């Protein structure tokens, strides 16, 4: 249809309320041509006799169930390898592992992605810096992701326990993350 779509807000956090006027305008413009695009795609698929195959594949995909990936504490090492972060000290490595577990527990309890709760680059930054106070945390992570702001006390407790070698005595990651505390 010859229209270049504006993708300014494509990756915006659409959970935030109220939506800005710009986000509402974007949503209207982004969906305006969907029915036209649907009709065009359907016509093209029918023209090359692929419509039935596409509908069948679509139905197969819709029948697939989502399976939660089981948590494995050693997966934090895979993440470190992907980030080329092989220079962590033993205490930093312990903090990374503890934060990895804390993040997983909080993500599951909040039904959010791990990346939303604590992005990988921030997880690594926290493991390297080992912040002990809310002020140090906010200086490292600006802006502080929303859930980290709300769960700052349990995050700092997790970091301290891991850095001090008492992580085994610390509560379970999911239980710690799920218990909200005043920031």
């Amino acid at each position: 249809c010859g229209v270049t779509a504006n993708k300014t807000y494509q990756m915006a956090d659409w959970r935030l309320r109220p939506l800005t006027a710009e986000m509402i305008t974007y949503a209207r413009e982004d969906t305006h041509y969907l029915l036209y695009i649907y009709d065009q795609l359907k016509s093209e698929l029918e023209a090359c006799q692929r419509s039935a195959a596409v509908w069948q594949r679509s139905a197969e995909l819709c029948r697939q169930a989502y399976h939660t990936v089981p948590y494995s504490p050693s997966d934090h090492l895979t993440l470190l390898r992907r980030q080329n972060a092989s220079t962590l000290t033993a205490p930093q490595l312990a903090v990374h592992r503890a934060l990895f577990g804390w993040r997983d527990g909080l993500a599951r309890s909040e039904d959010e992605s791990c990346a939303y709760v604590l992005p990988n680059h921030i997880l690594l930054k926290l493991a390297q810096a080992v912040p002990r106070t809310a002020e140090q945390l906010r200086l490292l992570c600006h802006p502080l992701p929303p859930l980290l702001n709300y769960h700052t006390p349990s995050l700092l407790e997790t970091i301290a326990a891991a850095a001090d070698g008492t992580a085994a005595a610390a509560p379970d990651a999911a239980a710690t993350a799920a218990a909200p505390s005043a920031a």
Side-chain angles (χ1 to χ4, degrees), residues 11-82:
M11 300 300 289
D13 187 352
W14 289 88
R15 296 171 291 196
L16 300 177
R17 293 295 185 267
L19 295 176
T20 65
E22 293 84 9
M23 290 173 83
I24 293 169
T25 300
Y26 169 84
R28 277 194 195 112
E29 291 173 359
D30 198 47
T31 58
H32 181 78
Y33 296 98
L34 289 180
L35 292 176
Y36 173 78
I37 293 169
Y38 167 79
D39 290 338
Q40 290 298 115
L41 287 173
K42 186 176 174 187
S43 295
E44 289 177 26
L45 289 169
E46 288 170 353
C48 63
Q49 299 178 340
R50 300 229 345 122
S51 185
V54 168
W55 281 111
Q56 181 180 357
R57 179 65 180 134
S58 179
E60 290 169 6
L61 289 171
C62 289
R63 285 190 294 269
Q64 289 181 358
Y66 173 76
H67 298 286
T68 304
V69 178
Y71 170 72
S72 172
S74 63
D75 284 347
H76 84 102
L77 296 172
T78 304
L79 176 60
L80 284 172
R81 279 191 294 276
R82 275 191 307 201

Side-chain angles (χ1 to χ4, degrees), residues 91-92 95-96 99 118 121-141 144 148 152-164:
Q92 289 172 326
V95 169
H96 191 274
L99 287 176
L118 178 58
H121 70 282
I122 295 178
L123 193 157
L124 179 59
K125 187 186 285 190
L126 294 178
Q128 291 168 330
V130 189
R132 298 296 186 130
T133 67
E135 182 180 350
Q136 290 172 342
L137 179 65
R138 286 182 180 87
L139 287 173
L140 280 169
C141 307
L144 194 63
L148 290 191
T152 294
S154 69
L155 174 68
L156 292 173
E157 288 169 16
T158 300
I159 292 171
D164 297 340

Side-chain angles (χ1 to χ4, degrees), residues 80-93:
L80 284 172
R81 279 191 294 276
R82 275 191 307 201
Q83 293 178 308
N84 293 320
S86 58
T87 60
L88 294 182
T89 64
Q92 289 172 326
L93 192 60

